[in-house]
Amino acid sequence: MERIHSLAYSLALLLALSLSIGTVSAQDVSGKKVKAKVKEMMDTTRTAIEYSDAYLDTVQLKKVFILNDYTSIGVEYGPSASSMMFNPSKKQSLLYDPVNFGVYMTKYSKMFGYLPYFGLKMGARYSTEGYYFEPDKETGKVSDVDGATRAVIKMVDIPMMAMIHLDATHFSAMANVGIYGGYRLSIEREGAVAESIRKAFNDYDRRFDYGLTGGVGFAIVFDPFDFQVNANVRYSWGTLYDPDYNSKDYYRFAYPLDFSITAGLYYHITRRTGRTKPQMKKEARKMVYGE
């Protein structure tokens, strides 16, 4: 189609030149008039040739990776490993749990209007805290908390994190850090504990939790979806129980520290990258007409 338009324009221009030269020669006018006549005929011919929408659609534009401000929503699921930062310290092993589930919304946005490397991520997460004591290999002694050698604590929390990310067409890498607030839903203890507290909190146990959370991850992107893998950490600033519950003179603390690896699927609510078809057609029209 483009070649046809070019050929038509060339033929029209050649015809205009022939007519102009013939007319001017017959009238024996100066060279300046010849040039003016030729220019007039060229302008008339150019105006006469109209470019259709079909032709504009064939104009090739250079593809540029442009990251938009966009929003995604998704779910993450994976196993976790928990421990407890005790003071005084206690020898322990990691407590593993397969259930770590979260629903998140992420808003990717530009800083100062042109740095497309930042975002905000927040959501709701259901997960596990706890501790697990094993016998010491040398002494055979097993640590405990009120007789419990193992405790699994289910909780929900709301993380709010700032994000930094780097993006390519089908790949994204990200890191985030922020704070969270949570609530301990249930506890299940094992060991030489009273039946009354085996599945119940003590009066001195603290149900509310808060602290620092963050992680790193990557995503494989095929708009409007991306598949993510994230490694997360959560460090509690809220001790598991009142520090003075056992002694008013010697305080005891227990701060949960949890790790998780999750796989997630996200859906882009708004367009992640690229120009829309109307934008492409507008650019093509601008290239042709100079508007």
Side-chain angles (χ1 to χ4, degrees), residues 65-72 108 110 165-173 219-226 268-275:
F65 179 77
I66 301 174
L67 187 67
N68 300 324
D69 291 348
Y70 73 102
T71 302
S72 68
Y108 299 86
K110 298 180 180 64
H165 57 95
L166 296 174
D167 297 81
T169 304
H170 296 296
F171 181 82
S172 180
I220 306 299
V221 184
F222 292 96
D223 289 331
F225 297 97
D226 62 72
H268 305 159
I269 299 176
T270 54
R271 190 178 180 89
R272 175 178 180 263
T273 184
R275 292 165 288 197

Side-chain angles (χ1 to χ4, degrees), residues 52-104:
S52 66
D53 288 342
Y55 169 68
L56 292 175
D57 287 338
T58 66
V59 176
Q60 297 296 316
L61 298 176
K62 183 179 178 181
K63 292 184 178 181
V64 179
F65 179 77
I66 301 174
L67 187 67
N68 300 324
D69 291 348
Y70 73 102
T71 302
S72 68
I73 186 170
V75 295
E76 295 182 17
Y77 183 88
S80 65
S82 303
S83 64
M84 201 72 61
M85 307 295 289
F86 287 103
N87 186 11
S89 63
K90 297 176 181 288
K91 188 175 180 59
Q92 61 181 308
S93 298
L94 291 174
L95 173 70
Y96 296 100
D97 192 276
V99 181
N100 187 306
F101 176 79
V103 179
Y104 301 92

Side-chain angles (χ1 to χ4, degrees), residues 102-105 120-126 156-162 176-182 211-214 233-234:
V103 179
Y104 301 92
M105 177 175 286
L120 294 173
K121 181 178 180 179
M122 66 178 299
R125 178 169 54 192
Y126 175 81
V156 293
D157 69 300
I158 298 176
M160 294 174 287
M161 297 171 285
N176 49 70
V177 64
I179 58 175
Y180 75 92
L212 183 69
T213 187
V233 62
R234 181 177 61 198

Side-chain angles (χ1 to χ4, degrees), residues 91 134-141:
K91 188 175 180 59
E134 289 185 320
D136 188 280
K137 293 182 179 180
E138 297 180 358
T139 64
K141 183 179 179 180

